[in-house]
Amino acid sequence: MTPGTLSVQLYTFRDAYAADPAGTIARIAELGFRYIEPFGIGNHGLSNAEKVGKAQQLRALLDAHGLKAPTAHTAAPMGENAEAVLDAIGALGATLPVISWPGEVPGFERDVMDTKDGTERFADALSEASRHAQSRGLSLGYHNHWWEWSRFGDQSAYDLLLSRLDPAVFLEIDTYWAHTAGQDMPALIRRLGERVRALHLKDGPATPDADQTPLGTGTVDYAAAIAAAPQARWHILEMDRTAGDVFAEVGQSAQKLIQEGRSTWE
């Protein structure tokens, strides 16, 4: 087994980061991380100058602590803001921007995949965003939650989405949410094959609103997910919510993966 490279989604520490950006980045580095996945890059609610400025500020913090952001959750580079979003991604230094949910694409909301027509329109929008990303040498990805598995007859919205998407769009599989959606998550990952370039790893009771827990303490077979995706370099830890100390719990998960030989820091 070739171990993947550990990263962590900054959204995990959003409250701490809002209160103390520099201190939070320092604590993440102290846990051992060398890579981080920021969120909200190029946010459509910001002016073009603010998009780039915020990315530059975060890049300076990361540089000061020896961290890099190869992947990042970003706004979709589309329409009149496409170039500014791409400039922000470039300022951060990311090469794998990821659309983390439909609301990052102008004109779409979470419920877009409740209908076949909505799913097809969303796929076309993601393909357009991918073409803009490719113009800068970037690869665009999509990150799932649990709602992508609504069904239209014998087909899921997720399968319809992937069948219509530009094949250049890679997949960041959130193992927890796929499991929450009732999927045979390792089988799903194997079926998607080389398109899966990153895994989001987290654990817990696998219900949308429950607190999440360190790896190995919930219902998700993280080891099977990792084994199903030997081609996925990035093993990205995330906790959307937890009742415990989020820094300690993320550190616990990271050390478990390191000790088991499933992931490395580099």
Side-chain angles (χ1 to χ4, degrees):
M1 177 180 66
T2 301
T5 303
L6 277 175
S7 181
V8 64
Q9 169 53 245
L10 184 57
Y11 183 79
T12 301
F13 309 104
R14 60 196 177 277
D15 293 336
Y17 184 74
D20 182 6
T24 300
I25 297 300
R27 290 185 69 182
I28 293 169
E30 287 167 3
L31 289 173
F33 288 98
R34 294 294 171 262
Y35 299 97
I36 192 169
E37 182 176 72
F39 68 98
I41 303 302
N43 188 300
H44 287 301
L46 302 174
S47 71
N48 288 350
E50 287 172 331
K51 287 178 174 64
V52 176
K54 284 186 172 293
Q56 290 173 331
Q57 291 168 11
L58 177 54
R59 173 70 178 273
L61 285 179
L62 299 184
D63 286 349
H65 295 283
L67 287 163
K68 296 180 181 179
T71 69
H73 285 187
T74 74
M78 294 177 62
E80 62 183 11
N81 293 320
E83 295 305 312
V85 171
L86 292 169
D87 287 345
I89 295 167
L92 181 66
T95 57
L96 299 171
V98 179
I99 305 304
S100 63
W101 73 294
E104 294 289 7
V105 183
F108 294 93
E109 295 297 337
R110 169 179 153 174
D111 63 359
V112 65
M113 279 182 274
D114 288 351
T115 66
K116 183 176 180 180
D117 173 69
T119 302
E120 291 174 341
R121 288 186 295 104
F122 182 57
D124 292 344
L126 283 179
S127 295
E128 178 187 339
S130 175
R131 289 190 290 273
H132 284 296
Q134 290 174 69
S135 74
R136 297 281 190 99
L138 307 173
S139 295
L140 186 76
Y142 181 71
H143 163 278
N144 64 278
H145 285 79
W146 67 92
W147 55 72
E148 287 90 349
W149 279 276
S150 57
R151 299 194 69 81
F152 316 121
D154 61 354
Q155 187 178 41
S156 71
Y158 194 66
D159 284 343
L160 175 60
L161 179 76
L162 298 191
S163 70
R164 194 171 174 102
L165 269 181
D166 180 345
V169 177
F170 74 89
L171 302 175
E172 180 178 76
I173 297 297
D174 190 304
T175 58
Y176 185 82
W177 293 134
H179 178 68
T180 300
Q183 298 303 295
D184 180 336
M185 182 256 299
L188 170 72
I189 292 171
R190 285 191 296 270
R191 176 168 63 84
L192 298 174
E194 295 297 320
R195 204 165 185 178
V196 179
R197 299 180 63 178
L199 299 175
H200 265 208
L201 300 170
K202 51 196 175 193
D203 210 344
T207 56
D209 298 321
D211 287 330
Q212 293 158 9
T213 61
L215 295 184
T217 64
T219 65
V220 180
D221 191 344
Y222 70 92
I226 290 171
Q231 77 287 349
R233 176 182 177 183
W234 300 106
H235 292 174
I236 303 165
L237 292 172
E238 182 182 39
M239 300 184 84
D240 296 86
R241 62 190 64 82
T242 176
D245 180 325
V246 68
F247 289 93
E249 293 190 349
V250 166
Q252 180 180 332
S253 292
Q255 289 301 325
K256 186 175 186 64
L257 291 172
I258 295 289
Q259 291 164 8
E260 293 174 345
R262 303 183 197 282
S263 308
T264 66
W265 294 120
E266 292 292 345

